[in-house]
Amino acid sequence: MFFFLLSIISVYCLLEMMEAAAAPRGEKLLKRVRRGWMWNQFFLQEEYTGSDYQYIGKLQSDQDHGNGLVKYVLSGEGAGTIFVIDENNGDLHATRRLDREEKAFYILKATVVNKRTGQKLEPETEFIIKLHDINDNEPHFSQEVYTGTVPERSDIGTSVIQVTATDADDGMYGNSAKLVYSISQGHPYFSVDPNTGVIRTALGPGDMDREQRENYQVVIEAKDMAGQRGGLTGTTMVNITLTDVNDNPPRFTQSIYQFRVPESSKSGTPVGRIRAADKDVGKNAEMYFTIVSGDGLDTFDIFTDKATQEGVITVSKPLDYEKKPSYTVEIQVQNTQIDPRFMSAGSKDMATVRIAVEDEDEPPLFDKDSYLMEVKEDAAVGTALGSVSAIDPDGARSIVKYAIDRRTDMDHLFNVHPENGSVFLLKSLDREEAAWHNISVIAIELHNSRQSSHVSVFIHLLDVNDNAPTFATVYETFVCERTKAGQRIQTVSAVDADEPSAGHKFFFSLAPEGTYRSNFTIRDNGDSTASILTRRASYSRLQQSMYLVPVVITDGDFPMQSSTGTLTVRVCTCDREGNMELCNAQPLSSAPGLSTGALIAILLCAIILLMIVVLFTALKRQRKQEPLIISKEDVRDNVVSYNDEGGGEEDTQAFDIGALRHPQSTAILEESTKQRRDIIPTDTLLYAPYRQHGSCSSGLLMPPVGVPSRDNGDVCEFINQRVLDNDCNPTAPPYDSLATYAYEGAGSVAESLSSLGSMSSEADQDYQYLSDWGPRFRKLADLYGAEDSDFS
């Protein structure tokens, strides 16, 4: 454990002497240079519990002659804290207890220096301190609790799960980390491999049955020191569950089931549920039911409810209590998935199901799902078309009466006899209007009107030749003035509203009244068409421009129908090829009327005329309005006041500026201060009366800008008087409206440009002063200064 440098030096000297003896004589001896330091590693036991520092070893250099001049210096991992060295003699110690599991070794470096000079006497050398392991750690499993599964009825030795434990001790040193597994709880069902930790089943298939016991708890131990006495132990819990296998067939909970179902139940109606028990779970418990025998094999069906694994019996065909009041069937159940190791294909169970049909009051039942009747369209009113028949399927056999569902016969064309179900006509029919009629007949029990049923009756009208043929279209026929006798000018055909079974066949001929002295003839083509031919070679458009040709059209059915159609032939001028060039205008056959374009044009004209009238009226009213300015000599505008709260023209009060300049005109002032007839004083005055003798040089009562100074006094006095009158007048409006317009000045040669000023005088104007402004204005002066007679 301790390293003694002295013994190493002795061995080293012995090796050198042997090398010298082995060297040949006459050769020069080679001397090996000795290293001053010779060590590699030290060993230290972990978990030291002593009170003193733990001695590790001694470091000694051949440079140390014992004179106290050498100093040992230690550096590296833990130097000075964990490891210390006596700098005088090189003794190495550990200062505290160390744990190998935290750190297994430390790398340090040592050197010697001269205490006086501090110079290194030896090069720095590295060495390792390793910790010897002791068994101070118990085994630990990777999980505190393991969960494993194994199928039930497994063979002995079937692997379930593997557990693993580890030991922090050194596995390379002794048996501290060598583990052995054992089972302390779980016998005799399971066992564990001591070396690998694999848990296996210990009992045979007959003893491991999930239906008897499903869950097991097994405790596994792991012991170090190869299981020897004194070793440390760790434990873990293993929860083992037996998984299900299909080793149990389903069994009915009872051998006989009984159900009742109303006879009116429709296809798919549930009758009842049967249940079978299976000890297995999941897919191993899934089952299906089948009806294998019985008199209701074709009347009932069964399917499995996936949510509850129950068999649901349903009706597959209509039931009739009077025909069969009860049924008996055999039901079989088996698993959908069978494990051949435990069950054979014949692992099934059987049960008997008895189903009783309950009698109900059913509606009448027609002997057919629908009826088809045919009748000629000329059949007389009251003619019978056919009959319907229905009976009460119940045992009581109630009397049935019949009626027409008028929602299907709104025109009341048909009726039915209430007792025997005979359908007959109420009105005449016309196939050309409707060839088919669909009605519904109701059968109702006499003693219970709530029990009824409907049946569809389809009535087909057979055709009767009751319509005469007519021209297929309106023909526009013409004949050239110069033509040939026997020339075909038109081919005509006919149509008939009837539909004979053998098809249409038409015949054409001239009417008796057109046979004599006729200008045209008819040739029947034998294919239900006819050709119109000329009878002479020339026609004159001037003598007669149009001819009427009566054509008799006859059908070939019985009774024969005929009609006379008139063909209009116009005489026209044609070219050499017979193409029409000119015909007389055809008289209008339709009533006179206006086109849409003409109506729109008339409407637009009316709108334009109306707009002109409205515009003219507006202009005329504008001309009748009096001008705001009474005096044409005054260049300033009027002051106008409008009362928005008033009711009419009296709300507008105009102030003539002429009155402001000439206040002596008391008549005008008195007229302007008339009280309003639509205002009644209700409140006291909000403002104190204005002082009459106020200054016009401040406030709102300043004279208008540009007014001559000689008028300032008059204007100021007038405005103060008006303000005082309005303040003291209880019928005055609640506010004043005052607008002023300044005089434009007198410094301009052109004077005022206001349009109001231009009307101030009707005297002749002198425009000669414009001549002083230049040649352009001289021409303007000549134009405006000319007399009216100059232009006459």
Side-chain angles (χ1 to χ4, degrees), residues 133-440:
D133 182 53
I134 63 173
N135 189 17
D136 58 343
N137 292 278
E138 63 182 14
H140 289 278
F141 285 92
S142 59
Q143 299 180 21
E144 293 183 0
V145 179
Y146 289 84
T147 301
T149 58
V150 63
E152 64 172 330
R153 298 188 179 275
S154 297
D155 296 332
I156 297 176
T158 302
S159 175
V160 179
I161 192 174
Q162 183 179 14
V163 296
T164 304
T166 57
D167 196 321
D169 294 326
D170 190 0
M172 303 298 295
Y173 179 78
N175 295 325
S176 298
K178 187 175 183 181
L179 305 180
V180 174
Y181 299 94
S182 62
I183 184 168
S184 61
Q185 179 181 330
H187 292 294
Y189 304 101
F190 301 96
S191 63
V192 63
D193 189 299
N195 298 319
T196 61
V198 176
I199 302 175
R200 302 179 185 274
T201 58
L203 296 180
D207 298 319
M208 303 295 287
D209 189 359
R210 187 199 66 84
E211 286 71 33
Q212 295 181 4
R213 183 177 178 182
E214 183 176 4
N215 298 312
Y216 298 85
Q217 283 187 346
V218 179
V219 178
I220 303 297
E221 292 183 351
K223 191 173 184 180
D224 58 12
M225 298 297 293
Q228 298 177 8
R229 182 178 297 179
L232 302 178
T233 303
T235 60
T236 186
M237 178 80 69
V238 182
N239 294 324
I240 300 176
T241 302
L242 299 184
T243 58
D244 184 58
V245 296
N246 195 4
D247 57 343
N248 294 280
R251 300 297 181 189
F252 282 109
T253 57
Q254 58 191 73
S255 59
I256 298 176
Y257 295 86
Q258 292 185 352
F259 300 103
R260 302 182 68 86
V261 59
E263 65 173 333
S264 61
S265 300
K266 297 182 180 180
S267 178
T269 302
V271 177
R273 290 172 173 259
I274 60 176
R275 185 176 182 83
D278 193 331
K279 295 181 180 180
D280 298 322
V281 294
K283 291 186 177 180
N284 295 325
E286 293 180 357
M287 60 191 75
Y288 68 95
F289 301 83
T290 54
I291 299 177
V292 294
S293 62
D295 53 4
L297 188 62
D298 298 331
T299 309
F300 301 94
D301 198 1
I302 188 171
F303 68 92
T304 304
D305 187 342
K306 299 298 183 182
T308 62
Q309 293 299 312
E310 294 177 329
V312 182
I313 302 174
T314 59
V315 177
S316 60
K317 287 186 178 180
L319 303 176
D320 191 349
Y321 172 81
E322 288 71 26
K323 293 182 179 180
K324 192 170 181 58
S326 65
Y327 297 87
T328 301
V329 294
E330 295 291 331
I331 306 295
Q332 175 183 281
V333 63
Q334 60 182 350
N335 286 126
T336 57
Q337 297 180 2
I338 298 176
D339 193 338
R341 297 177 301 171
F342 310 106
M343 290 193 305
S344 62
S347 300
K348 305 172 183 177
D349 197 16
M350 303 289 294
T352 302
V353 178
R354 296 174 182 173
I355 303 173
V357 180
E358 296 178 345
D359 187 23
E360 288 188 347
D361 189 6
E362 300 175 86
L365 182 63
F366 284 94
D367 58 354
K368 294 182 180 179
D369 295 335
S370 62
Y371 294 86
L372 174 62
M373 300 178 183
E374 293 183 343
V375 63
K376 291 186 177 182
E377 62 175 323
D378 60 348
V381 175
T383 301
L385 311 181
S387 62
V388 298
S389 177
I391 61 173
D392 182 13
D394 298 322
R397 298 298 185 202
S398 299
I399 299 175
V400 177
K401 60 180 181 180
Y402 304 93
I404 296 290
D405 187 353
R406 290 305 172 187
R407 293 175 298 179
T408 62
D409 185 22
M410 303 292 291
D411 297 330
H412 289 71
L413 302 177
F414 309 95
N415 203 356
V416 61
H417 195 283
E419 296 180 359
N420 59 23
S422 176
V423 181
F424 56 90
L425 291 178
L426 286 180
K427 295 181 181 179
S428 300
L429 303 178
D430 187 0
R431 189 202 64 83
E432 284 68 40
E433 293 182 0
W436 287 89
H437 295 273
N438 302 331
I439 64 174
S440 180

